[in-house]
Amino acid sequence: MDKNGKTVGFVTTNCVIVDSTPAETTTCYGSYVLEGGQITWQNATRDPQTPYLIAITGGTGKYCEASGQIRVVRTESQAGGGLYELKVITGRKCATS
């Protein structure tokens, strides 16, 4: 949802938890499917508490040159999930040809 509460897309997420030494490691990847394209991302962590950064790995459509990071902050906690605020930190623009 955007700041006005309008649904602007959805997220797909796949995670693998590995029992490594000295603690479990969670590796996740997915896509933010938005109007006009997608932003793909990946993250690995041993402490998935917010705030944290995830790497932008690419994009499609109007996000074709997506790069940078997404800062994730949990703003509401709910059973089975919650509400998160995402801030996209980028620095490149799409090529015109």
Side-chain angles (χ1 to χ4, degrees), residues 11-81:
V11 64
T12 66
T13 303
N14 295 290
C15 294
V16 175
I17 300 172
V18 178
D19 186 11
S20 56
T21 304
E24 285 184 346
T25 300
T26 302
T27 301
C28 298
Y29 63 92
S31 296
Y32 292 104
V33 182
L34 307 166
E35 190 174 310
Q38 299 179 26
I39 298 173
T40 59
W41 58 271
Q42 186 169 356
N43 177 346
T45 185
R46 290 193 170 147
D47 182 19
Q49 303 300 314
T50 68
Y52 57 86
L53 295 171
I54 59 179
I56 295 173
T57 57
T60 65
K62 72 181 198 179
Y63 310 104
C64 65
E65 291 285 335
S67 66
Q69 302 174 345
I70 299 173
R71 184 174 186 267
V72 179
V73 178
R74 186 178 209 154
T75 59
E76 267 183 48
S77 182
Q78 300 170 358

